[in-house]
Structures are given as C-alpha cells and as structure tokens.
Amino acid sequence: MPTLEGAIERITFHNEENGYTVARLVPDGKDYELTVIGNMLGVQVGEHVRLEGEWTVHGQYGRQFKVERYASVLPATAAGIEKYLGSGLVKGVGPVTAKRIVRQFGAETLTVIDETPERLREVLGVGPKRVTLIKSAWHEQRQIREVMVFLQSHGVSPALAVRIYKHYGDGAAGVVTNDPYRLARDIHGIGFITADKIARNLGIAPDAPERVAAGVAYTLSQKADEGHVYVPQGELVAEAAKLLDVPAPLAAAAIETLQQEEQVRVEPLAGAAGASGLAEARAVYLTPFYYGEIGVAGRLRRLMDAVEDRCFVFRSFDWPQGLAVVQRETGLRLTAQQQAAVRTALTERVTVMTGGPGTGKTTCTLAIIRLLDAARRSYVLASPTGRAAKRLGEATGREAKTIHRLLEWSPGGAGGFTFQRNEENPLDVDMVIVDEASMLDLLLTNHLLKAIPPGAHLLLVGDIDQLPPVGAGNVLRDVIDSDAAAVVRLDVIFRQAAGSFIIENAHRINRGQMPEWRPEQSQDFFLFQTDDPERAAELVVEIVQERIPRKFGIPAHEIQVLSPMHRGAVGVAALNERLQAALNPPAAGKPERRIGGRIFRLGDRVMQMRNNYDKDVFNGDLGQITALDLVEQTLAVRIDERTVPYDFLELDELVHAYAVSVHKSQGSEFPAVVVPITTQHYMMLQRNLLYTAVTRARKLVVLVGAPRAVAIAVNNNRIADRYSALAERLR
C-alpha cells in the first residue's frame, strides 16, 4: 500500500461525526501541497503524519491521496521540527520560540527535549518556568501518542486518545487493556459501543460475563439519559440482548450479577405502569436513582407531615388586610386566583404553582416574598440553572442562586462534588422557593430536599407544559399527579400580556391551536415560509445577521437560534457553522484553534456541555470566548460576569452556541429567538417542544419553515411517558 509522510498544512473540511477529512499536506522534503482525504478523526494542523492509502483522481479536484490508515509521527528534519513545534501542538512553544530552539539544536531538537530538557535554557528567552512547561507538555504529548498508537492498533480513532489520557494519565494504556469497559463508565462521550470495539479487539468473547454486564448497565444508563428512572426488566433484557447479540437469559443473569455488585436495584412495583402501559413485576434501577426516588418520596412526605410549621404566623393571618397592604405598597393587584395561590403557598408546607407565560407566577412570587418580609420569615430563592437564577433575581430584586450554589457544593466526593448543606447541616430558612421547577430532575431534587429543615415550606414554581427535565425523572409532573401536595394552577392571562402575540400564541399552541402570524398586526411573532432546509438555513443566518438588528434594533449577540434537532441542514451543528462564519469570521489578529471538527475562535459564543465542579460551571451555561492563547494552549470564557479558564485538552466540554437545541434552552430567556421548523424535523416536532421554544423569547419570535411543520408540532401532544414510580410512592 502506498505511503506518504509530511505535515498537515491546513484542514479544508472535517466531519466530526464520522471523521471524514479533506486536508492539505506538505510532503517531507517538498515545497508543494497536495490533497489528502479520508477518515482522520482528530488530526491537527501542524501534525506530522504517516499515511497509508492509494492515489485517486477526482473529476473536479484532480489528484488526491485517499487515506486508509494514518499515524502521528515525529518529524526528522530541522525544518519539519520547527514547523511541528511552532504549530501550537506543544504547549509553551510558539513560532518564535520554535525557531530559536531549532536554531540552537537543529535536527537533534526533539532528542534534547525528550532526554535533556534542561538544555533548553541555552536558548534565548527560555527560562526555568518555560522549560518546566515545555517538559510537562512534551511528556503529555508523548503519552498521548502512545495511547493513540495503542488505540489505533485496536481500531479506535485517535481523537479519543486525548480524552482517555486526560482521565487516566500515564496509566491509560493499562486501564484500556485490563478493563476496556471502564471507558464507558468513566469518560463522558465514550459509550459502550466504543469500549466494546476495543474489548473485542483485545479478544474478549461476545458472551463473556463482563461484556454482558457492561452492556446491560449501558442500556440502563441510556434509558436514564432518555429520562427514565427505572426500566421494566423484560424491556431491559430484550434491549440489552439485542444490543449485545446474545441470548436473553444471559442478559437476565447479568442483572443478578449487577445487583450483587450493588450497581443496580431490582424491586417489585405493583401497579407501576410505564410508557408501554403494561405493568411490570420487576423494575430495574441504577442504584443512585433507586435511592433518589426513595429519598424524594420520603423527604417530601416528611415535609408535608411535619408537626412543626415555620410559617405558622400565616395560619391566623388577616389576609384581606395583608394583601391590601401589599397592593398599596407595591402596586401588585392580585386576582382572586392569585390571592389563593399566595395563601396556599404560605399555609401549606409543600405547594406547586404552575401556569403558562403571562399568568402571573412572578407576581404571586413577589407578593409571597413581600408577606414573608413583613412577617420576618426567612426564605431563599433558587433555580436549577444559572441563567434562570439570574432572571429570578432580576424579577424579584432579591438574591437568587442556583440549587448547586444554594446547597454549597464543593469539588470532590464520588460524584465529583459534595454538598455542604444536607440533613446534618440544613438550610436555616423558613421557606424555599424554586423557580423553573419543571427542570428539576430526580437526583438534584433529592439533594435539595435533604437540606430543607423540618417545618419549612417548599414552593415549586414552574410551567408543567414545558419540556421535561434533561436528567432522569419528571419531578414536577409526578408531584402534581400524586395529589399529595397542594397544587395551584394559574390560567388567566394578564391584560398587559394579552397584547403580545408571543404570549397569545404560546397559549394557542398549548391548547392545540395553530399560532397566528399577522404581519400587519403582530410586532413580536413572525413566520418566514419555506420547507427547503437549505433555504431555511440561509434565511436563519440572514434574519440573525441583518433583518432583526435592522428592523428591531436587537443586536445579533442577543438573538438565540433554537433548533429542534442536532443534525441536518437546519440542525444545531450545521447552523452553528453557518452562523459562526457570518457573525464571527476569521480575521488577521483573531486567534483560533481547531479541535476535532470545531474551530474555536476569539469572540465565539459557546456552551458548557457537562457539569464541571472544579470550574464551577454547569451543563447548559452560555458564554463567550474572551481570550485564546495558542502558545499556552488556553482560552477563557466569560460566563455570567466571571471568566472561566480552559485548557485546550478540556475543549471537548464546550460547543458553539450560536444555535442550541430547544432542550438546552430550558430555563433561559432571550430578547429574540429564531426557530427553524421544517418537515425534515417531523420526528422531533412536538407541542411541548414548540411551546418551550416560543416561551424562551421576551421580545421577538421568528419561525423559519413551513406552516405544515408548525401544524405537525401543534397536533402532536404525545408526551413520552417516563418510567418513574415517584407519584405512586407519594400516593
């Protein structure tokens, strides 16, 4: 098979999903570029590679080298070494330092760095601190290369090597060899399929007990990612057996093994019916979700049944007088329905207040706070996300925290963090008010309830018709369905909200009616009609870049694109590429770095994709890249008025956020949202998804797509049930 060696000069195309890459390569000893194509997931500009493949001729692009296999190798010539070191692949070395180092050591440069790095101090401008940085970065690169070579020998892409090394350090190859299924358990983004591929290449048999157990655990965790707290055993066995291609009895036996190892809990659930509508005699839980469900049910019951009442003063309260004072001092005029909501929250220990936009949830919350202040009762305000907490604080004029910060989390512990506030150290408050409670998943709710003292009141405020939480469970709906807590439904739209097409259309969508877009009347709700995905994508960019800023004066950085899907021409990934090119194009003096299929550029809008307790950033946090250092291999992101540093090795935690999924927008609010909605999305088009997207906007909603697609969403009210026994336990 023909081979080719050289340095990657630039990458002209890269598909992150399958690794297909089109790049320009300068062959060793040559002064020209040629095109190489093929699966090169993880390849970087400046990297020296050895390629195996074949020469082909493309009708339009001419002669190309089609890559079958590739490996990263170290350059041998002084010129190649200088280019390699100066490309930004080694932290602490930029083009100027690379030139000086190679001028000093020539073709022996890499040997010097490898064996006697202290000699780097002979180079002008390289001090002890820089030597330490280069030495550490070189060691890291060498280890990553070794892991990469090892993984490639087992058919795994090089892109995973960085992630695996980052997690396990120098012991990465040993971990992969001895227990490849640990990868699926330990590393975000590496699933069972990848781990299984390595294991099979290592010779682990298809019916090996450790493989079957790992496959069952993976199937269960996938179901948790879909929102299920447990899975009926029959369904779990069938899906795991299909995934593993093994007989069902082997999968059933693996459940017993996992139970003995305390990875899962199996228990009978009389009468608990799930999505299929069929009662299942045995429910299988991942252990944390079992204890989470037991904990939430028990702790809610204890709150509701407590003898002590920290808000007892409101049991003999002069309500007409109190509400009249609130109205006189604040101007808040409450309807009879809202007065009942306020009274219920202050007299019942656990209350749910739910309602759509414009129905006065915030007004009621303000009145409750005012009365608590007047009665000298203490309270805290919290939301599941940072953006929602910020909005709650702005709306109430009081401090509001994320639930994590309220519970005083700190890094460490089995889950990567611990909460300082719990049953041993509860919050010293009389009432806890949680906004955006539809986002509460089971595990976070359990931690919150641990910290609420006996006798305190809990008020859950949320819109039950929005999308369910991203995490497992559906706490707000389960609490309502259980009939165990006091529930107040606000359904009267305020006069000042009634003139808004956003509010009116949100309620129309929720009632299963088509939204209205009358350009001659509406100033805040529009539809640009097309069902061609490519044209829709072009329109989205044009609307964000030009039309909204020109007509409404809303700058592009305050406009959020929300897509129902990740893939396709109007999916999140493709729209981010288009919007980045339009809103933050490359420019001289604007640093950028390609990581896999993404180019991170100074000024980019980005989103954190998982909780990172060390950095105090959480899944869904939005920010902007404010600094990018190619030599130090770091960038900084501004998130909620603070700057968060990232190493380039951590950039798998970030994605671009010019466009985000509707699910990821929960708890956030934006001046304007643009929502592509085409029949291409029909699999994802649901009423609660469109409703959630529309209700993210404060001033302006622009739909881009086909009325037929809107109709599909409005008429599809099939809310996927989640396997959960919380309502049953509360009953």
Side-chain angles (χ1 to χ4, degrees):
M1 187 176 286
T3 60
L4 190 62
E5 224 171 278
I8 300 293
E9 185 68 20
R10 66 180 183 275
I11 295 172
T12 55
F13 175 79
H14 182 87
N15 184 319
E16 195 169 4
E17 290 177 15
N18 59 23
Y20 181 78
T21 304
V22 179
R24 299 287 284 172
L25 177 133
V26 177
D28 286 349
K30 309 296 182 184
D31 60 357
Y32 58 80
E33 297 177 7
L34 52 84
T35 300
V36 295
I37 61 170
N39 189 319
M40 294 180 283
L41 190 64
V43 74
Q44 300 283 353
V45 172
E47 196 170 347
H48 203 85
V49 293
R50 179 184 295 118
L51 310 175
E52 294 182 25
E54 60 180 358
W55 290 101
T56 62
V57 178
H58 188 278
Q60 183 177 351
Y61 301 111
R63 195 164 182 253
Q64 300 176 333
F65 190 81
K66 185 178 179 184
V67 179
E68 295 295 331
R69 286 192 296 273
Y70 96 92
S72 180
V73 295
L74 295 176
T77 66
I81 291 168
E82 182 183 329
K83 194 162 194 171
Y84 174 79
L85 288 178
S87 66
L89 286 170
V90 180
K91 187 185 292 188
V93 182
V96 174
T97 305
K99 185 181 284 292
R100 288 175 180 170
I101 292 173
V102 174
R103 188 187 298 143
Q104 180 76 20
F105 301 114
E108 299 300 310
T109 295
L110 299 185
T111 304
V112 169
I113 296 174
D114 208 24
E115 298 175 3
T116 54
E118 293 75 16
R119 288 191 61 197
L120 291 171
R121 294 186 63 179
E122 299 170 20
V123 178
L124 178 68
V126 179
K129 188 177 178 182
R130 180 74 54 180
V131 169
T132 302
L133 182 62
I134 295 170
K135 183 179 175 181
S136 171
W138 184 254
H139 172 79
E140 200 169 69
Q141 282 287 329
R142 187 173 58 193
Q143 293 296 322
I144 290 172
R145 280 197 304 276
E146 288 177 8
V147 174
M148 195 177 287
V149 169
F150 172 79
L151 289 174
Q152 280 190 287
S153 70
H154 295 291
V156 179
S157 71
L160 297 178
V162 172
R163 208 175 290 174
I164 292 169
Y165 176 77
K166 193 175 92 176
H167 192 88
Y168 298 119
D170 293 352
V175 170
V176 173
T177 303
N178 296 324
D179 186 4
Y181 293 109
R182 268 188 69 183
L183 298 177
R185 296 195 301 271
D186 294 350
I187 302 179
H188 174 77
I190 296 182
F192 172 81
I193 306 300
T194 301
D196 194 42
K197 187 176 181 182
I198 299 171
R200 300 296 295 276
N201 273 290
L202 287 168
I204 293 177
D207 60 353
E210 64 267 34
R211 176 177 183 262
V212 181
V216 171
Y218 168 76
T219 304
L220 199 50
S221 68
Q222 287 295 102
K223 287 291 191 180
D225 288 345
E226 293 170 14
H228 300 292
V229 178
Y230 72 86
V231 182
Q233 180 163 324
E235 183 177 321
L236 177 61
V237 166
E239 291 199 21
K242 182 179 178 182
L243 169 77
L244 296 161
D245 194 22
V246 298
L250 283 182
I255 292 174
E256 303 306 321
T257 302
L258 290 168
Q259 187 174 18
Q260 289 167 14
E261 295 172 356
E262 298 186 349
Q263 289 190 50
V264 305
R265 285 290 301 240
V266 183
E267 73 160 31
L269 273 177
S276 65
L278 298 173
E280 173 68 32
R282 283 159 62 92
V284 185
Y285 291 78
L286 286 169
T287 302
F289 294 112
Y290 171 78
Y291 287 113
E293 190 173 85
I294 294 287
V296 169
R299 292 183 175 98
L300 278 174
R301 267 282 161 219
R302 280 197 288 277
L303 277 179
M304 289 185 276
D305 297 341
V307 175
E308 183 185 351
D309 186 350
R310 286 174 169 243
C311 293
F312 67 90
V313 64
F314 293 106
R315 293 191 175 275
S316 55
F317 190 64
D318 186 342
W319 286 99
Q321 173 68 16
L323 292 169
V325 171
V326 168
Q327 182 180 326
R328 187 168 63 247
E329 293 183 356
T330 66
L332 293 173
R333 185 185 294 274
L334 273 63
T335 64
Q337 188 183 59
Q338 290 171 328
Q339 289 180 29
V342 171
R343 185 167 184 164
T344 302
L346 292 171
T347 55
E348 296 287 344
R349 289 174 177 79
V350 178
T351 303
V352 173
M353 182 165 66
T354 185
T359 56
K361 296 190 298 295
T362 302
T363 301
C364 291
T365 303
L366 285 167
I368 290 165
I369 287 171
R370 192 74 185 196
L371 290 169
L372 287 166
D373 285 337
R376 292 188 170 84
R377 298 292 93 184
S378 60
Y379 57 89
V380 288
L381 304 176
S383 285
T385 68
R387 293 181 73 87
K390 186 178 179 183
R391 237 176 61 230
L392 179 60
E394 290 168 352
T396 59
R398 302 291 194 277
E399 183 185 22
K401 298 179 179 180
T402 63
I403 293 172
H404 282 85
R405 293 193 178 101
L406 175 69
L407 301 182
E408 299 173 19
W409 66 269
S410 60
F417 68 97
T418 57
F419 287 123
Q420 303 304 310
R421 293 291 184 174
N422 49 39
E423 282 156 322
E424 286 73 42
N425 182 29
L427 298 162
D428 185 18
V429 293
D430 301 318
M431 187 166 193
V432 175
I433 300 172
V434 180
D435 195 25
E436 295 288 354
S438 63
M439 298 179 68
L440 282 174
D441 64 42
L442 185 74
L443 298 185
L444 185 59
T445 305
N446 192 34
H447 285 298
L448 173 66
L449 293 173
K450 286 179 185 178
I452 299 177
H457 285 219
L458 171 64
L459 172 61
L460 301 176
V461 183
D463 186 344
I464 195 61
D465 295 311
Q466 286 186 26
L467 288 168
V470 174
N474 200 351
V475 173
L476 190 66
R477 183 172 291 279
D478 284 348
V479 171
I480 292 172
D481 290 348
S482 73
D483 292 325
V487 178
V488 181
R489 291 178 172 84
L490 302 175
D491 55 16
V492 178
I493 304 174
F494 270 130
R495 245 193 335 271
Q496 60 265 36
S500 163
F501 270 66
I502 295 175
I503 301 294
E504 289 184 10
N505 280 335
H507 286 275
R508 288 182 66 84
I509 291 165
N510 210 18
R511 292 193 297 266
Q513 299 170 328
M514 283 288 282
E516 296 181 343
W517 45 80
R518 299 194 294 272
E520 68 283 358
Q521 295 179 30
S522 171
Q523 291 300 307
D524 62 4
F525 200 103
F526 300 91
L527 172 72
F528 285 76
Q529 295 195 30
T530 177
D531 201 29
D532 174 35
E534 287 292 333
R535 177 57 186 147
E538 291 170 4
L539 269 172
V540 166
V541 175
E542 184 184 325
I543 288 164
V544 172
Q545 187 179 20
E546 298 172 14
R547 296 199 185 199
I548 291 177
R550 187 172 63 237
K551 182 173 174 62
F552 296 96
I554 300 173
H557 69 266
E558 292 186 3
I559 304 165
Q560 185 62 59
V561 176
L562 304 177
S563 178
M565 292 185 72
H566 284 276
R567 299 184 181 182
V570 280
V572 169
L575 286 174
N576 267 315
E577 285 188 19
R578 285 180 183 258
L579 288 162
Q580 182 194 36
L583 302 176
N584 190 30
K590 187 188 286 184
E592 62 180 48
R593 177 62 183 261
R594 179 183 286 274
I595 304 291
R598 300 189 184 100
I599 295 174
F600 290 96
R601 186 174 294 138
L602 185 67
D604 275 342
R605 286 162 62 179
V606 291
M607 175 185 278
Q608 174 76 16
M609 289 302 288
R610 64 187 180 91
N611 293 346
N612 185 322
Y613 298 97
D614 293 320
K615 294 185 184 296
D616 190 15
V617 290
F618 298 92
N619 187 356
D621 281 353
L622 293 167
Q624 183 178 31
I625 297 176
T626 54
L628 199 156
D629 190 324
L630 294 171
V631 175
E632 301 298 327
Q633 297 191 8
T634 59
L635 59 76
V637 179
R638 189 78 172 157
I639 299 174
D640 290 338
E641 313 305 322
R642 64 191 185 90
T643 300
V644 182
Y646 287 82
D647 189 276
F648 282 180
L649 289 179
E650 299 172 311
L651 294 189
D652 60 327
E653 296 184 14
L654 294 176
V655 295
H656 291 100
Y658 298 97
V660 302
S661 69
V662 178
H663 284 81
K664 284 288 186 184
S665 73
Q666 285 176 266
S668 297
E669 196 174 72
F670 310 96
V673 300
V674 178
V675 186
I677 180 165
T678 69
T679 52
Q680 185 188 51
H681 289 151
Y682 76 95
M683 289 289 289
M684 292 294 292
L685 295 180
Q686 294 177 183
R687 185 183 299 173
N688 60 354
L689 183 133
L690 179 59
Y691 174 77
T692 300
V694 167
T695 54
R696 298 309 89 206
R698 279 199 304 273
K699 300 178 183 176
L700 181 67
V701 171
V702 179
L703 304 182
V704 181
R708 181 164 166 261
V710 176
I712 291 171
V714 168
N715 291 320
N716 179 9
N717 197 32
R718 293 193 310 274
I719 298 171
D721 287 336
R722 294 182 168 198
Y723 289 121
S724 165
L726 178 59
E728 185 82 8
R729 292 184 195 277
L730 283 169
R731 278 194 287 269

